[in-house]
Amino acid sequence: MEHTIFGLIKKRGEIAGQHKAAVKAADALKADLDAIDRTLVRCGYEDDPKGIAPRRKYKRLFGRNELKLTIINMLREARRMIRRLQRRLPPPR
């Protein structure tokens, strides 16, 4: 039973450390937001800066031209498969 307790103590310490780092990072982000809000107001922004909707970072699913090239290759392969199937079929009467 002691082995389990020591393992849980170790795990709790690790998670507490991660939590402390996350809180510190969140505090830094909050300070950055406050500084940007103050700067917006000083620059003449009249609306409430807190009303600006949060944006997520755009996640790129494909590299440059990767999707286009993938589609072109798939269409070429489909054309080859159709030709092979047409050769196997008897000619129309």
Side-chain angles (χ1 to χ4, degrees):
M1 192 64 143
E2 284 185 33
H3 186 67
T4 302
I5 290 173
F6 288 123
L8 289 170
I9 290 171
K10 179 181 175 187
K11 188 63 175 177
R12 190 189 189 291
E14 291 171 359
I15 292 174
Q18 291 173 357
H19 178 262
K20 187 175 181 180
V23 168
K24 187 175 179 180
D27 289 343
L29 290 173
K30 177 70 172 119
D32 290 346
L33 282 173
D34 290 341
I36 291 172
D37 290 350
R38 287 191 305 272
T39 305
L40 280 169
V41 170
R42 283 187 183 163
C43 289
Y45 186 75
E46 295 177 3
D47 293 335
D48 181 18
K50 290 178 179 34
I52 299 171
R55 295 177 57 187
R56 289 190 174 168
K57 193 169 185 177
Y58 177 71
K59 182 178 178 183
R60 275 181 81 174
L61 298 177
F62 298 97
R64 183 179 175 145
N65 290 327
E66 184 180 0
L67 180 60
K68 179 179 79 170
L69 293 174
T70 301
I71 292 172
I72 289 171
N73 289 334
M74 290 179 76
L75 290 171
R76 284 181 184 149
E77 182 61 30
R79 187 181 309 149
R80 284 187 212 118
M81 291 175 71
I82 290 171
R83 286 183 186 153
R84 278 187 232 136
L85 288 173
Q86 286 175 340
R87 282 187 224 132
R88 291 183 185 176
L89 294 175
R93 295 181 191 184

